[in-house]
């Protein structure tokens, strides 16, 4: 059983290991270090990720001695959702408070799947001009357990209330996952692990704005669905709306993407290219032809995202007519092109609208 009281951990517990921070391999070394056997790790992971237990006393198939050691050296703490907002279209936004700051997690139910959009950082320092998260600044990276807790809590709620569980996870919430690569990789390992959440690699998507060296690293360690926030057909426009482009130009980004695709089986249909539609900025017919030319050699599916409004932004979303014309040019050029349905707009849960409270730290040194 999940014991709510366990969520208040004492100072001494902070010196212990939170098992939600450990992927299988790390959990294995920990278990062996306290005298457990290889199969003990599987048993513990099953209690955590199948039954959502956080109380060692109730893990009935563990030896008494092992339970005692676990009490001494470890705990299981999932950060709680402190607020829930439900949209008229069924989308739910859950807010987690972490040290007076807030991160957001969005649940998007569809007929055949239940997608969870999770955050990887408190805020984001990349400062994309059209993104509410980027405009609010950055505080810190989330830990593995803070990333994993979002799925753990969502599954627990869905299991209890709706007899469902999450089928797809997308790293498309607050933050740039590749600037928190170490914790994101461990979290993905737990999501894919058959003793963890056991999702297939085709059901886990990481979206990145183009952190080239981290993408190179990712290719060597994990195969999942990749989505790229391209949003511009040339460096001139991208420099203006995405500051990261000043450091990693489109060409080097796409080169790293091609390499990723070559060694990935999760991306058989190609990479998903996200392109936010901004009136008079990146939405002309000429821009559509440029984009088609740019992606000529890259197997890709293009997802046009109508820009979502947020207070203080200086953009206007392209008209639906313009988006349709833009899409038809890309389709004629042979690209599988979709227009994203924006979900949860009435509760500010749509793409780029996520803005938990973020206490800014100095971000000058990041890029
Ligand atoms: N930092 C990563 C993950 C965030 S994913 C990335 O940028 O890829 C969120 C997606 O929504 C990204 O493609 C992002 O560019 C897009 N987005 C940001 N602000 C938006 C807005 N106001 N309207 C529509 N899409 C937006
Ligand atoms: Fe950060 Fe992505 Fe928003 Fe850019 S679009 S500011 S990278 S969250």
């Amino acid at each position: 059983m999940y014991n709510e009281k366990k969520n208040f951990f004492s100072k001494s517990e902070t010196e212990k290991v939170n098992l939600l921070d450990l992927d299988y391999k790390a959990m294995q070394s920990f278990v062996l270090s306290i005298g457990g056997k290889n199969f003990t790790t599987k048993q513990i992971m099953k209690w955590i990720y199948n039954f959502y237990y956080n109380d060692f006393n109730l893990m009935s198939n563990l030896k008494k001695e092992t339970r005692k050691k676990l009490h001494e050296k470890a705990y299981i703490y999932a950060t709680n959702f402190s607020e829930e907002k439900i949209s008229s279209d069924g989308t739910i936004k859950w807010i987690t408070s972490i040290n007076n700051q807030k991160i957001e997690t969005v649940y998007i139910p569809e007929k055949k799947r239940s997608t969870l959009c999770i955050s990887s950082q408190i805020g984001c320092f990349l400062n994309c001009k059209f993104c509410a998260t980027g405009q609010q600044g950055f505080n810190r990276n989330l830990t593995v357990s803070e990333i994993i807790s979002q799925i753990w809590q969502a599954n627990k709620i869905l299991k209890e209330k709706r007899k469902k569980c999450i089928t797809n996870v997308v790293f498309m919430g607050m933050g740039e996952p590749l600037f928190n690569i170490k914790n994101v990789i461990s979290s993905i390992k737990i999501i894919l692990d058959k003793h963890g959440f056991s999702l297939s690699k085709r059901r886990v998507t990481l979206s990145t704005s183009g952190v080239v060296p981290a993408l190179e690293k990712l290719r060597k360690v994990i195969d999942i669905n990749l989505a790229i926030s391209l949003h511009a057909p040339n460096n001139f426009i991208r420099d203006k709306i995405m500051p990261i482009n000043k450091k990693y130009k489109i060409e080097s980004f796409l080169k790293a993407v091609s390499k990723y695709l070559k060694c990935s089986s999760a991306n058989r249909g190609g990479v998903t290219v996200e392109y936010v539609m901004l009136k008079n900025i990146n939405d002309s017919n000429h821009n559509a032809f440029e984009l088609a030319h740019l992606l000529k050699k890259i197997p890709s599916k293009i997802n046009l995202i109508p820009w979502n409004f947020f207070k203080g932004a200086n953009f206007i979303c392209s008209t639906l007519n313009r988006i349709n014309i833009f899409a038809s040019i890309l389709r004629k050029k042979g690209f599988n092109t979709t227009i994203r349905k924006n979900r949860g707009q009435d509760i500010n849960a749509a793409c780029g609208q996520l803005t938990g409270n973020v206490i800014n730290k100095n971000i000058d040194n990041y890029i």
Side-chain angles (χ1 to χ4, degrees), residues 324-364:
N324 283 330
I325 295 170
F326 199 91
S328 70
I329 293 173
L330 294 169
R331 288 185 190 122
K332 275 192 199 131
K333 289 280 178 188
F335 289 92
N336 175 353
T337 306
T338 48
I339 299 169
R340 188 176 290 181
K341 271 190 240 127
N342 275 324
R343 303 276 309 254
Q345 263 172 324
D346 54 340
I347 54 164
N348 285 346
C351 291
Q353 291 184 317
L354 304 184
T355 56
N357 276 353
V358 170
I359 300 163
N360 275 300
K361 292 230 171 115
N362 187 348
I363 57 170
D364 294 344

Side-chain angles (χ1 to χ4, degrees), residues 124 126-128 131 134 175-176 209:
C124 181
L126 289 180
N127 199 17
C128 300
C131 171
E176 167 51 60
S209 58

Side-chain angles (χ1 to χ4, degrees), residues 1 26 33 35 49 57 60 63 82 87 103 123 125-126 132 156 158 165 189 218 223 228 240 263 292 295 323 352 366:
M1 278 299 301
S33 78
Y49 295 104
N57 287 330
S60 51
K63 278 192 188 156
S82 48
S87 157
I103 56 150
F125 53 76
L126 289 180
K156 216 160 65 69
L158 293 175
C165 59
K189 285 183 177 164
L218 190 75
D223 180 18
I228 59 167
K240 286 193 174 160
C263 55
L295 297 174
I323 298 176
Y366 285 104

Side-chain angles (χ1 to χ4, degrees), residues 130-131 172-173 175-176 207-208 229 231 274 276 305 307-308 351-352:
F130 51 82
C131 171
M172 293 191 182
E176 167 51 60
S207 174
T208 180
S229 289
H231 304 318
E274 297 161 286
V276 66
I305 314 176
W307 178 71
N308 288 307
C351 291

Side-chain angles (χ1 to χ4, degrees), residues 209-213 215 230 232 234-240 242-257 294:
S209 58
V211 191
V212 172
L215 188 53
L230 190 60
N234 59 50
N235 285 315
F236 182 73
I237 298 177
R238 201 164 190 265
D239 275 349
K240 286 193 174 160
M242 298 184 75
I244 191 173
N245 201 65
K246 295 194 176 129
K247 179 136 192 191
Y248 304 115
K249 294 289 175 210
I250 291 181
E251 295 71 23
S252 64
F253 185 14
L254 293 183
K255 202 168 155 196
V257 170
L294 187 67

Side-chain angles (χ1 to χ4, degrees), residues 281-298:
I281 292 190
N282 64 359
D283 67 345
S284 69
N285 289 356
H286 176 66
N287 295 151
F289 285 112
E290 275 183 299
L291 181 62
H293 183 71
L294 187 67
L295 297 174
K296 202 167 57 183
K297 292 193 182 137
I298 301 190

